[in-house]
Amino acid sequence: MSPAEPAPRRGRPRSESADTRITDAALEVLLARGYDRFSVDEVAAQAGVAKTTLYRRWPTRDHLIVAVVARVQDEVLVEYTGDVRADLTRYLNEIADGLNRMRQAGRPASARKQSAGLVAEVVAAAARHADVGEAVGAMFARRNTLVHTLIEQAQESGELRRDVDPVVIFDQLAGALYYRLLITGRPLDAAYVDGLVTSTLNGASAQPVPVPEAKEEPR
């Protein structure tokens, strides 16, 4: 079980409706307030639960924030349809849209988008606290496995070469998104995603796009 997920407890069964209300409220508060002003008190009040109910599920606010980010990620479908380029482009565009939402969390719409925002705060919390780091690592490992499987299916169908490591392919794709978000602050838009997927898959494709031959200049 991922550390980002509430641990099962003995005694009275946990209410799934309470879990949903809490994560719904937490997402709303997180997007409105951002990381610094994220309040567990406000989440509990908005969800209509006691703070003790919330803390039984997630021991700290960072664990709750990780659970919310995991939920946002889980809303993005990972599916192989027979066109790996289209599938990865769609998936990465949805991830980029989610990162842009997190980038703007708690900030006015007019604010410049160069800030990494909430994502940088989660990364920092993961570095400061080992248990939060484990939760973040488990969240990404679970989601990444789904994309690795998609790439493996593309290899089995003959779209991609079998000698290329699916983990390396996805590292190149996801790593580039997070580098832009956390380091350069450059835009995460559809044009960038399309170019990123194309350049990455051209090196792994079973039938790479042919490079036109250079024309000889007249003597």
Side-chain angles (χ1 to χ4, degrees), residues 37-107:
R37 293 181 294 140
F38 181 80
S39 166
V40 171
D41 287 350
E42 185 175 358
V43 172
Q46 193 162 314
V49 300
K51 279 202 302 182
T52 53
T53 300
L54 192 153
Y55 280 124
R56 280 199 299 267
R57 290 157 167 79
W58 299 281
T60 70
R61 77 173 200 151
D62 284 331
H63 285 88
L64 177 56
I65 289 173
V66 171
V68 171
V69 174
R71 172 184 158 171
V72 171
Q73 287 197 346
D74 286 341
E75 292 174 353
V76 180
L77 179 66
V78 182
E79 180 183 27
Y80 179 58
T81 67
D83 185 341
V84 68
R85 189 180 302 269
D87 294 337
L88 287 175
T89 299
R90 177 195 55 77
Y91 177 76
L92 288 181
N93 270 316
E94 292 196 46
I95 293 298
D97 287 345
L99 291 174
N100 284 326
R101 286 176 71 198
M102 295 300 174
R103 173 183 259 176
Q104 288 298 106
R107 307 173 73 218

Side-chain angles (χ1 to χ4, degrees), residues 2 5 17 27 32 58 67 69 74 80 93 100 108 121 124 130 137 153 155 158-159 163 180 195 200 206-207:
S2 163
E5 300 171 2
S17 64
L27 177 58
W58 299 281
V69 174
D74 286 341
Y80 179 58
N93 270 316
N100 284 326
E121 299 289 356
Q153 290 173 320
Q155 290 176 313
E159 275 201 281
D163 63 334
R180 273 215 160 195
T200 300
Q207 297 179 334

Side-chain angles (χ1 to χ4, degrees), residues 152-201:
E152 289 169 356
Q153 290 173 320
Q155 290 176 313
E156 292 168 1
S157 74
E159 275 201 281
L160 299 179
R161 302 196 330 255
R162 290 179 177 268
D163 63 334
V164 180
D165 187 346
V167 174
V168 173
I169 293 176
F170 188 57
D171 280 355
Q172 292 172 345
L173 295 169
L177 286 184
Y178 281 91
Y179 178 79
R180 273 215 160 195
L181 178 74
L182 295 168
I183 305 301
T184 70
R186 300 289 299 280
L188 295 176
D189 53 26
Y192 176 70
V193 168
D194 184 66
L196 175 62
V197 173
T198 297
S199 61
T200 300
L201 292 191

